[in-house]
Amino acid sequence: MKFDRDRIAELLQACLPDDANLFVVGLTVSDAIRPKVTVTLDGEQGVGIDECAQVSRRLARRIEEEYSEEASYTLEVTSPGADQSLTDPRQYTRHVGRSLDLKLTDGTEKTGVLEETTPEGIQLAEVVKEKNKKKTLPAAHIPFADIAEAKVVISFK
């Protein structure tokens, strides 16, 4: 059976709780004999296992209504891992105060503390090394359009 990714995306949007401020950051539908639908959700305050389970149950019901109960597929609804890139501007808000590693579209890389988010981009206080010392530069605005990849720096301090 072939699943239509766009149709699954429509069904998924209808499954999101109205009050949870959840949003989709990833949706893949494999082209295998038994397709695998993988949904990655996030929220402004994060996303918990109960929310993933609720969306999973709702989406499974809608897929069965759309494609019949005999449809053979695998469904995975998850939250982004700590090592995954930030892909949606809404993900940055809850990481204010944390360090980010950025790769910009011009090929440069920056590491610094996320001080603020705006609708257009972020304010990043870049940390640079000078003569074996770390120096924090004044916060600079970086538009979302200039960010190729952003990852939260995991610290175990």
Side-chain angles (χ1 to χ4, degrees):
M1 168 165 287
K2 180 114 167 108
F3 281 26
D4 178 5
R5 185 194 178 285
D6 293 334
R7 183 65 184 136
I8 299 290
E10 289 173 15
L11 297 173
L12 175 59
Q13 284 302 317
C15 294
L16 297 178
D18 295 331
D19 60 342
N21 294 321
L22 295 181
F23 49 91
V24 178
V25 293
L27 171 62
T28 59
V29 180
S30 74
D31 210 10
I33 294 171
R34 182 174 182 189
K36 180 176 182 180
V37 177
T38 305
V39 176
T40 306
L41 299 176
D42 207 347
E44 292 174 11
Q45 304 300 316
V47 60
I49 192 165
D50 292 338
E51 294 157 318
C52 288
Q54 180 184 35
V55 171
S56 179
R57 285 190 299 271
R58 289 178 176 180
L59 183 57
R61 275 194 303 271
R62 289 184 185 256
I63 288 173
E64 288 169 7
E65 289 170 3
E66 183 81 14
Y67 292 97
S68 87
E69 290 183 15
E70 286 78 45
S72 178
Y73 67 96
T74 304
L75 174 61
E76 178 182 12
V77 178
T78 185
S79 62
D83 62 337
Q84 289 187 330
S85 297
L86 305 178
T87 57
D88 188 297
R90 295 174 286 186
Q91 290 180 285
Y92 289 82
T93 306
R94 77 168 194 274
H95 295 293
V96 170
R98 298 180 77 185
S99 292
L100 298 181
D101 278 335
L102 300 180
K103 290 182 183 172
L104 303 181
T105 54
D106 66 4
T108 60
E109 296 183 12
K110 295 181 182 288
T111 299
V113 176
L114 175 62
E115 292 195 346
E116 183 183 1
T117 63
T118 67
E120 299 82 32
I122 62 171
Q123 293 283 4
L124 186 79
E126 186 178 4
V127 177
V128 294
K129 289 183 182 177
E130 283 185 357
K131 298 180 184 175
N132 299 328
K133 288 186 178 183
K134 290 184 178 181
K135 178 181 176 183
T136 303
L137 302 176
H141 180 76
I142 302 171
F144 289 121
D146 292 350
I147 301 172
E149 182 179 65
K151 288 189 175 187
V152 176
V153 176
I154 308 299
S155 174
F156 296 102
K157 292 182 181 179

